[in-house]
Amino acid sequence: MAQGLRPRTARTLIRPLALRSELAATRERGAAYDREDSFRGISCVAAPLRGAGRAVAAVSVSSCRGERELARLGPVVAACARAVWRELYGPGRAGRSTTAPARDLEPAVSAQAMDNMMGWLRFSEWM
């Protein structure tokens, strides 16, 4: 590790300090970005399915269209992951109160945002 990490592409984070910084930013924004770090020409954004503990799964979207698309999709993917978690496990500790509130049936992601995302997935050029 003192020498750095082995790169997979020219964009792979290989310096430990840069990787730690990216991990901190990932925790902060709630989504991780792969900006051609793993495969040249392929980018990805992912958000964890998690409550107060460790992540048990993730929601991700990959693209060959670059970082601008990822920046736009990042918040949608994170909202989707939160909505899936809530549907499966409820609001979690932070959302609990002493009285049981009526369950929120509103989706975390608007129907329009989901339609846009699904349309993008349907009509994207896949390698």
Side-chain angles (χ1 to χ4, degrees):
M1 189 79 148
Q3 303 276 20
L5 305 171
R6 215 172 93 218
R8 293 184 60 118
T9 71
R11 298 197 67 179
T12 302
L13 295 175
I14 58 172
R15 293 187 328 268
L17 186 57
L19 180 59
R20 281 190 206 100
S21 177
E22 181 62 22
L23 289 173
T26 295
R27 279 187 214 96
E28 186 92 9
R29 68 181 167 250
Y33 292 90
D34 177 335
R35 300 173 185 95
E36 297 185 44
D37 296 275
S38 300
F39 298 96
R40 196 173 72 227
I42 303 293
S43 298
C44 177
V45 59
L49 281 145
R50 60 174 296 211
R54 289 185 160 171
V56 296
V59 173
S60 71
V61 175
S62 296
S63 171
C64 54
R65 297 198 183 218
E67 289 186 45
R68 282 187 61 205
E69 192 71 15
L70 291 183
R72 187 179 69 78
L73 289 173
V76 176
V77 170
C80 178
R82 287 190 302 272
V84 169
W85 182 267
R86 259 196 323 272
E87 188 63 32
L88 292 174
Y89 300 106
R93 283 186 236 166
R96 292 186 189 142
S97 65
T98 54
T99 62
R103 187 162 177 199
D104 180 18
L105 298 178
E106 289 296 314
V109 179
S110 72
Q112 181 182 9
M114 284 305 292
D115 287 344
N116 289 343
M117 187 166 146
M118 296 311 286
W120 177 85
L121 289 171
R122 215 174 294 122
F123 299 109
S124 288
E125 295 174 16
W126 294 95
M127 296 182 101

